[in-house]
Amino acid sequence: MTRTAADALHRPVLDWYAVHARDLPWRRPECSPWGVLVSEVMLQQTPVSRVEPVWCAWLERWPTPGRLAEEPAGEAVRAWGRLGYPRRALRLHAAARTIRDEHGGQVPDDLESLRQLPGVGEYTAAAVRTFAYGGRAVVVDTNIRRVLVRALTGRALPAPALTRAETELAGAALPGDDAAAATWNVAVMELGALVCTARSPDCAACPVAGRCAWRRAGHPAYDGPPRRGQAWAGTDRQCRGVLVQVLREATTPVAAERLALAWTDDLQRERCLDALVADGLVEPLARRTYRLPG
């Protein structure tokens, strides 16, 4: 990639975003850094359409980290609803307590402090820094990786796992101006979500189609390592979700017999229940009863 090739993408992508950006509540100027952090955790492996109503209810109930930190962790899991991967709720609750106890109730704005928050990795730290505070950071999610790999390297899809080369590519593609760089991150992300999708890219609607290395090369097929989809039906993931949902809907501790009605495979149910207890998502009580963590 040449610097000129990346620079040529900036203005078309930023202009496209100014017209086509979705009006999402966590992108509005009035959204707090806490709201941005909550959105980034919720959006991990979960589509916007499922996240938005849960995010709105969450921020109405817990508009600040301190408000969430006052509640038991089980309430965060209960409010998580059906977003999946409920350990994210526990981590967000733990992050809220850390923010309250170590940062005066304010989401930190520097990468190092953000990375130290429970459940916050490199991507989430960079996203909060740039989307909440307008700071310069290299944000690399699935959509950004796909757009940049196609436009600048001519490959159909990025590798199954993030590589150092892709991180360096994203860093080199950032505009020089910090404010433009912050908008660029979300603009490329939006382009990947709406136009340069994995399965059905709409090249006719792409603002950089004429500059896209993948399109100029004739849209060569992906030739990298196999990309396997995630199974769901009958898996431990489904079993865990069913068990947590039973507890989420209950107002009192739930007996093991009731969980057995929800998932009839005894060995799988017990294995998943043990894992949920180990993960801190379920609290075992006397007489083989269970509840969300207190």
Side-chain angles (χ1 to χ4, degrees):
M1 182 202 78
T2 65
R3 181 74 251 178
T4 301
D7 290 346
L9 304 181
H10 294 157
R11 183 44 52 197
V13 170
L14 293 172
D15 287 347
W16 174 89
Y17 179 74
V19 175
H20 297 282
R22 288 171 291 180
D23 179 21
L24 301 176
W26 47 84
R27 290 180 181 167
R28 295 171 187 164
E30 65 270 20
C31 182
S32 67
W34 168 241
V36 173
L37 174 59
V38 172
S39 75
E40 289 299 334
V41 175
M42 288 185 172
L43 286 165
Q44 294 167 9
Q45 299 179 287
T46 309
V48 167
S49 59
R50 291 176 56 198
V51 166
E52 188 167 359
V54 179
W55 182 92
C56 290
W58 187 288
L59 267 293
E60 182 175 355
R61 180 175 179 181
W62 298 308
T64 65
R67 292 282 291 275
L68 175 60
E70 293 170 357
E71 298 264 15
E75 286 304 299
V77 177
R78 195 183 309 279
W80 199 253
R82 296 181 179 272
L83 289 183
Y85 302 100
R87 275 179 290 186
R88 292 180 293 169
L90 289 182
R91 291 168 183 158
L92 196 50
H93 182 268
R97 289 193 165 174
T98 300
I99 293 167
R100 178 196 63 186
D101 297 341
E102 300 180 15
H103 299 282
Q106 301 299 315
V107 176
D109 62 359
D110 65 284
L111 288 174
E112 186 57 36
S113 296
L114 286 164
R115 291 189 195 103
Q116 297 304 313
L117 296 177
V120 173
E122 195 68 36
Y123 163 78
T124 303
V128 172
R129 172 162 169 75
T130 192
F131 300 150
Y133 293 108
R136 189 175 188 83
V138 179
V139 179
V140 192
D141 82 330
T142 300
N143 288 313
I144 291 175
R145 293 173 63 206
R146 185 170 57 253
V147 171
L148 296 182
V149 160
R150 284 176 176 170
L152 296 174
T153 75
R155 290 183 284 130
L157 294 170
L162 177 64
T163 65
R164 176 180 293 184
E166 289 174 1
T167 301
E168 292 173 351
L169 181 70
L174 280 179
D177 177 75
D178 288 355
T183 306
W184 165 260
N185 281 321
V186 69
V188 178
M189 188 181 297
E190 191 79 332
L191 186 64
L194 301 182
V195 176
C196 193
T197 59
R199 295 184 180 180
S200 303
D202 186 2
C203 294
C206 180
V208 294
R211 300 173 172 87
C212 177
W214 183 55
R215 184 170 180 265
R216 290 200 305 266
H219 301 98
Y222 175 71
D223 60 357
R227 307 173 70 89
R228 298 181 178 87
Q230 289 186 327
W232 171 250
T235 62
D236 283 4
R237 278 185 59 221
Q238 185 186 25
C239 178
R240 286 166 58 102
V242 168
L243 298 177
V244 169
Q245 186 60 27
V246 172
L247 299 177
R248 185 182 289 121
E249 294 172 351
T251 56
T252 58
V254 174
E257 292 77 12
R258 184 174 170 189
L259 295 176
L261 295 175
W263 195 271
T264 57
D265 185 323
D266 293 340
L267 289 176
Q268 187 178 31
R269 184 183 64 256
E270 291 303 314
R271 180 176 69 246
C272 291
L273 191 55
D274 287 345
L276 288 167
V277 170
D279 288 342
L281 284 163
V282 171
E283 182 178 341
L285 303 173
R287 299 185 181 86
R288 289 272 290 163
T289 60
Y290 300 87
R291 69 178 184 184
L292 296 179

